[in-house]
């Protein structure tokens, strides 16, 4: 893979920053996902007829109920989802938060950027418009720029900021394009004191070089924690709910060799299908 000047600069900057070694055990910390009673509203959102069959089929790999509970989500919160992609988690969060909470999504800008990013945002907004009964109270905003949120910060200003920010399998993209530190800084500024940042991403083996993370899509827990700490967050707990010990992480096509992408198409497809989706870390950070 060729390395652009922007990417080389990102690699150099990240390599110069401290990366922690083994993470401290957090199992003794309170687990927001198990301490509270069963969340019937969240289960109802997961069971809703609005969810597509294809999305439901991935529940066993993505563990949405356990993951969101681990982040401490409640139906009255102000929640922001970063880079929602096609809306897999949006489909769950929007009906859950619609009656009592406030839900914002931070996607690519409608104008500017690459054609692919503009198309992804347009497709996402078009999907929301097709089901107003679910998404009419969702605020579809824009990712931060220069370490600050714009439209979403304005939408949350009167409420004192966000209670919870969540992002799923996006850290490796921010690492690759050099926006990770600015994004975490913006999240810290947007959250209320005591607010939570919930992160899920593909897990690299300890000691993996930054450039390898960029090529493969796997990010080490140590790098994630170091970057979050630099932005002002404290790691409150980590969960193995999205772990997959079958994932060897040494695939020629990186994480994209695995389902649901199957970048190699029919090449070793049965073997990759047997592995399943990637091994992932799940972290809960707190703004102190």
């Amino acid at each position: 893979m060729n390395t652009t000047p922007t990417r080389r600069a990102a690699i150099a900057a990240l390599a110069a920053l401290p990366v922690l070694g083994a993470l401290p055990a957090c199992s003794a910390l309170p687990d927001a996902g198990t301490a509270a009673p069963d969340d019937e509203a969240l289960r109802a959102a997961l069971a809703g007829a609005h969810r597509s069959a294809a999305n439901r089929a991935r529940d066993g790999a993505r563990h949405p109920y356990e993951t969101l509970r681990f982040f401490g989500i409640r139906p009255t919160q102000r929640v922001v989802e970063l880079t929602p992609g096609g809306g897999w988690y949006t489909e769950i969060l929007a009906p859950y938060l619609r009656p009592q909470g406030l839900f914002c999504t931070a996607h690519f800008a409608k104008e500017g950027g690459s054609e692919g990013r503009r198309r992804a945002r347009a497709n996402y907004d078009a999907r929301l418009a097709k089901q107003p009964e679910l998404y009419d109270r969702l605020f579809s905003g824009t990712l931060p720029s220069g370490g600050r949120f714009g439209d979403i910060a304005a939408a949350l200003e009167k409420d004192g900021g966000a209670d919870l920010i969540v992002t799923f399998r996006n850290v490796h993209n921010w690492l690759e394009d050099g926006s990770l530190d600015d994004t975490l800084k913006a999240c810290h500024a947007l959250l209320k004191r005591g607010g939570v940042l919930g992160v899920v991403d593909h897990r690299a083996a300890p000691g993996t070089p930054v450039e390898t993370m960029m090529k493969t899509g796997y990010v080490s827990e140590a790098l994630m924690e170091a970057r979050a700490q630099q932005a002002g967050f404290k790691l409150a707990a980590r969960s193995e709910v999205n772990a997959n010990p079958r994932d060897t992480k040494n695939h020629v096509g990186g994480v994209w060799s695995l389902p649901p992408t199957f970048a190699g198409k029919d090449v070793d497809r049965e073997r990759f299908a047997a592995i399943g989706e990637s091994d992932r870390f799940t972290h809960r950070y707190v703004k102190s």
Side-chain angles (χ1 to χ4, degrees):
M1 179 180 292
N2 293 329
T3 306
T4 64
T6 300
R7 192 168 172 210
R8 285 198 298 272
I11 293 171
L14 286 164
L17 291 167
V19 177
L20 302 182
L23 288 173
C26 295
S27 56
L29 294 173
D31 186 334
T34 58
D38 189 70
D39 191 330
E40 295 182 2
L42 183 55
R43 291 199 185 277
L46 285 163
H50 67 283
R51 296 191 67 210
S52 70
N55 284 355
R56 288 173 182 272
R58 296 184 65 197
D59 285 358
R62 302 195 70 174
H63 311 99
Y65 181 84
E66 294 83 0
T67 299
L68 291 170
R69 294 280 283 164
F70 174 73
F71 293 155
I73 197 167
R74 296 189 301 277
T76 56
Q77 287 182 323
R78 293 168 292 278
V79 179
V80 179
E81 181 187 4
L82 300 186
T83 315
W88 197 93
Y89 260 100
T90 301
E91 187 181 71
I92 299 165
L93 291 167
Y96 174 73
L97 293 164
R98 185 177 181 276
Q100 304 177 73
L102 176 63
F103 183 38
C104 302
T105 58
H107 213 303
F108 301 127
K110 295 181 180 180
E111 305 294 336
S114 69
E115 179 182 351
R117 289 190 170 194
R118 293 194 302 272
R119 183 169 58 249
R121 173 61 185 270
N123 290 341
Y124 179 78
D125 285 348
R127 177 183 177 182
L128 301 184
K130 289 179 180 178
Q131 293 182 289
E133 70 279 8
L134 295 177
Y135 304 119
D136 60 340
R137 297 181 185 174
L138 182 156
F139 182 85
S140 180
T142 307
L143 286 165
S145 176
R148 296 178 62 87
F149 283 94
D151 49 7
I152 290 178
L156 291 172
E157 184 176 9
K158 68 179 187 301
D159 295 307
D163 297 301
L164 171 65
I165 297 175
V166 295
T167 190
F168 307 94
R169 301 179 305 137
N170 291 305
V171 173
H172 62 284
N173 294 318
W174 301 333
L175 183 64
E176 199 275 340
D177 69 17
S179 66
L180 176 58
D181 292 330
D182 275 353
T183 299
L184 293 173
K185 177 182 176 182
C187 289
H188 190 272
L190 187 67
L191 282 166
K192 297 167 51 180
R193 185 171 296 277
V196 170
L197 171 66
V199 181
V200 177
D201 214 324
H202 315 292
R203 174 164 44 197
T208 298
V210 173
E211 186 166 15
T212 301
M213 295 184 204
M214 291 183 177
K215 290 179 179 179
T216 64
Y218 290 96
V219 177
S220 73
E221 291 190 77
L223 184 143
M224 180 66 232
E225 185 183 358
R227 297 286 72 75
Q229 285 185 349
Q230 181 184 351
F233 287 103
K234 178 181 179 181
L235 179 64
R238 50 196 172 104
S239 172
E240 291 298 295
V241 66
N242 292 303
N244 180 1
R246 296 186 301 276
D247 183 8
T248 59
K249 311 173 189 183
N250 60 352
H251 323 301
V252 173
V255 70
W256 304 282
S257 297
L258 298 174
T261 307
F262 288 113
K265 297 183 179 179
D266 292 333
V267 177
D268 288 333
R269 190 180 183 94
E270 290 186 5
R271 179 168 68 87
F272 290 131
I275 292 172
E277 297 197 21
S278 67
D279 176 47
R280 297 165 188 163
F281 65 78
T282 305
H283 288 184
R284 185 171 80 240
Y285 294 93
V286 175
K287 175 180 177 177
S288 56

